[in-house]
Structures are given as C-alpha cells and as structure tokens.
Amino acid sequence: MDNNPELSGKYLGTITEDFVAISDTLKEASYAVRKRGFSDFPIFPICKTEQPVGQVLIGAGELNLTWNYFITYLDEFVQRKIIDEDKVEEFKQAYKNPDEFCCLFVIDTDMTSFVYVPYPED
C-alpha cells in the first residue's frame, strides 16, 4: 500500500498545497478518533465533490482549498466493502504511524487511492 505513482503528477501538488494549510486540524482529528476509542485507523477521504464516505470535516470552500476533507475510519471502509474483510490485516500492517502520517483516501473520477502524507514536524 505504497503511494500510487499516478498521484505524483496529477494530484500530489494540489493535495500538498491543501495539506500545508490544514495538517494541524487533520492531526488533531486523527488523535481525537484514536483517543476516544473510535478506531486506531482514522482515514481522511478527500474529494472535489460530495461523496458518501465519512463525515465532512473541512469543506473546500471553507478555507479556499482544492479538496473537500472527510473523516472516517477503517470500520466504515469494511462495512462499505471498500476494503474486503480478508484484507483488513494487510491494511493494518501497511497503515503508517498516525502520529506521523495522515492516511488520505483520494477519490476522483479517474482513480481512487490511499496516500500517506507526513505531518510537518513541529
């Protein structure tokens, strides 16, 4: 579950640009999901339009972002069959340290893919 090479050209620039502006908010939300015992595996779906996975965390229009940011976790991905039940352990093994990396799920018309973006160091 390494970063998808397709992300490099078409997506990574706009994702990184947004991420710089909201990384602290995403990091705090990830911590809250884990601290409150909802899941050890928070996931932030991002999409340029509305989509049904997770709850809106930050809308693109709120901070002049390119992407809308949603928040959910592994259980919803399994329930919606985005991740097969027999692939859960593989996902958990590939999942990067949530204190250091943000797990984004990029949803666009051409592709969907997980990408892990490191949080800026304090």
Side-chain angles (χ1 to χ4, degrees):
M1 294 206 181
D2 291 329
N3 289 343
N4 186 325
E6 271 190 68
L7 288 166
S8 297
K10 188 172 181 182
Y11 300 99
L12 216 46
T14 59
I15 292 170
T16 304
E17 198 173 287
D18 278 5
F19 193 76
V20 169
I22 61 166
S23 62
D24 288 343
T25 301
L26 297 178
K27 190 172 188 177
E28 288 172 18
S30 172
Y31 176 78
V33 164
R34 292 178 285 126
K35 179 76 171 169
R36 293 181 181 151
F38 292 119
S39 177
D40 290 332
F41 303 95
I43 301 170
F44 297 92
I46 67 171
C47 189
K48 293 180 181 176
T49 60
E50 287 296 314
Q51 57 80 31
V53 181
Q55 301 292 317
V56 175
L57 182 65
I58 303 168
E62 291 178 48
L63 298 173
N64 198 26
L65 304 171
T66 303
W67 300 87
N68 294 297
Y69 288 77
F70 300 79
I71 185 168
T72 189
Y73 33 88
L74 178 57
D75 291 349
E76 182 176 0
F77 272 63
V78 173
Q79 290 169 2
R80 291 183 176 271
K81 299 184 183 342
I82 298 169
I83 296 176
D84 291 329
E85 285 186 37
D86 61 340
K87 298 287 186 183
V88 169
E89 283 307 312
E90 183 180 331
F91 177 85
K92 288 179 177 180
Q93 292 298 317
Y95 192 87
K96 296 183 184 277
N97 181 340
D99 288 323
E100 297 177 15
F101 290 88
C102 183
C103 178
L104 301 176
F105 184 67
V106 181
I107 303 168
D108 197 36
T109 53
D110 297 335
M111 65 164 285
T112 56
S113 181
F114 285 99
V115 61
Y116 292 91
V117 180
Y119 291 112
E121 292 188 26
D122 295 332

